[in-house]
Amino acid sequence: IENIRLQYSITLYGTNNRLVVVRNITRLHQLEVMRKDFVANVSHELRTPLTVITGYLETMQDGLALMPDKAPPVWKRALTQMLTQAERMQNIISDLLTLSRLETSDNQVDQGAVNVHELLDTVVNDAMAYSDGKHRVKLECPDSACLTGNREELRSAFSNLVYNAVKYTPEGGDIKVRWLENNYGATLQVKDNGIGIDPQHLPRLTERFYRVDKGRHSQTGGTGLGLAIVKHVLLRHNAVLDVSSKPGKGSTFSCRFPAVRRECG
Ligand code: ADP
């Protein structure tokens, strides 16, 4: 029946007595669809006004730069703050739209051969530019590494993990990105020796907007949506995320893929 989902749960009592519980979750399903549509629409609608606001703020900032002595100092501070917050909002909207696309589109489309070595090389170079030489970022990946998947989605997931490693590792820290293959598939390992994560937070890391320490992390410019994106991308590639971490010692995020592709063509 279209649009109707039923959840079954079967409980067995003894050997002969069986109790079957059938629960109609149509309403729940409809609410979930409404939630996804709402988030996608709001995010989309907020994009244009925010672009206009940012544009005018930049124009005002340029104007201030032309008359540095005439404007009160507080104007400069206020404009800088407003631009920082506007950029933050843009990042949140962009991540929410990415999540919506991941939740709604068919995961079989746009899958092809992805040259993992080339992809990781790009991701690591971008992260090094972001770190501005303040971390050592090392990549170990065979030239032949290849996957069947969606390049853009995988780039987004891998970038989130490597950028996080940089964001949550103090200056001078080490980040290792490794691609390991065996008979069962492949693992991407992103290891840092940064601030680490308390074990109580590990199960909730991939929830939307979950941040371990909102106050302390407000400087990192994150959105709290990165690991939710990672989780969805991996789901669409039949892969899983493992996290191991020790507070003050560092974290390792591992993405386990069930199969690799021998030829990238
Ligand atoms: P954010 O945009 O806040 O980085 P994420 O969803 O990417 O959001 O990560 C969720 C939270 O997990 C972060 O706020 C941070 O507290 C924690 N986290 C993620 N990666 C790391 C890491 N490599 N080291 C320590 N903490 C991390």
Side-chain angles (χ1 to χ4, degrees):
I1 305 165
E2 202 184 343
N3 248 345
I4 291 196
R5 299 215 168 169
L6 294 175
Q7 178 183 299
Y8 302 92
S9 82
I10 303 175
T11 315
L12 298 181
Y13 289 102
T15 42
N16 296 322
N17 301 326
R18 288 182 174 84
L19 173 70
V20 180
V21 180
V22 180
R23 193 157 70 96
N24 183 347
I25 57 163
T26 310
R27 186 75 192 127
L28 275 181
H29 175 63
Q30 283 169 343
L31 284 174
E32 182 60 11
V33 171
M34 276 165 64
R35 181 194 64 77
K36 285 179 190 163
D37 284 353
F38 177 77
V39 172
N41 291 338
V42 170
S43 311
H44 195 74
E45 292 301 323
L46 285 177
R47 234 174 16 171
T48 312
L50 198 55
T51 310
V52 175
I53 292 171
T54 309
Y56 277 116
L57 287 174
E58 280 167 355
T59 309
M60 287 163 77
Q61 205 174 41
D62 292 347
L64 269 191
L66 294 175
M67 45 172 203
D69 304 327
K70 287 193 185 141
V74 68
W75 286 16
K76 192 172 172 230
R77 277 206 307 277
L79 274 175
T80 310
Q81 268 297 317
M82 284 192 276
L83 273 166
T84 308
Q85 295 305 328
E87 191 187 338
R88 218 180 132 230
M89 274 167 79
Q90 263 164 347
N91 290 339
I92 293 175
I93 289 170
S94 154
D95 279 356
L96 279 174
L97 284 170
T98 304
L99 263 177
S100 294
R101 268 195 300 273
L102 290 171
E103 281 181 334
T104 47
S105 62
D106 181 355
N107 52 346
Q108 296 312 318
V109 292
D110 296 336
Q111 293 232 350
V114 178
N115 182 329
V116 176
H117 182 268
E118 175 267 332
L119 177 60
L120 286 175
D121 204 41
T122 311
V123 167
V124 166
N125 278 323
D126 288 350
M128 274 156 69
Y130 172 71
S131 143
D132 203 13
K134 295 185 182 112
H135 303 83
R136 279 176 297 271
V137 191
K138 215 172 125 199
L139 171 64
E140 281 174 32
C141 174
D143 290 348
S144 58
C146 184
L147 263 187
T148 300
N150 181 302
R151 188 185 186 281
E152 193 39 42
E153 288 178 14
L154 290 169
R155 190 202 59 75
S156 172
F158 295 173
S159 285
N160 271 307
L161 293 176
V162 182
Y163 271 70
N164 274 353
V166 173
K167 275 190 321 199
Y168 301 109
T169 300
E171 290 180 14
D174 283 307
I175 289 139
K176 283 189 192 126
V177 180
R178 296 205 292 169
W179 183 259
L180 308 157
E181 290 183 8
N182 60 28
N183 291 338
Y184 307 103
T187 301
L188 170 73
Q189 210 178 61
V190 181
K191 187 173 179 184
D192 65 59
N193 59 356
I195 61 172
I197 304 163
D198 210 70
Q200 78 196 67
H201 297 288
L202 295 181
R204 299 194 59 192
L205 285 186
T206 57
E207 284 175 21
R208 285 158 187 248
F209 296 113
Y210 191 83
R211 308 190 79 195
V212 170
D213 186 341
K214 277 190 198 254
R216 197 157 56 125
H217 294 349
S218 62
Q219 304 306 317
T220 64
T223 62
L225 293 167
L227 290 179
I229 292 175
V230 172
K231 181 180 108 176
H232 275 85
V233 170
L234 294 187
L235 262 177
R236 288 158 67 83
H237 289 80
N238 300 318
V240 287
L241 179 68
D242 284 333
V243 189
S244 65
S245 187
K246 274 209 178 116
K249 296 271 181 224
S251 313
T252 303
F253 286 75
S254 306
C255 310
R256 282 189 285 119
F257 292 86
V260 289
R261 196 171 163 135
R262 292 286 151 225
E263 290 280 314
C264 248

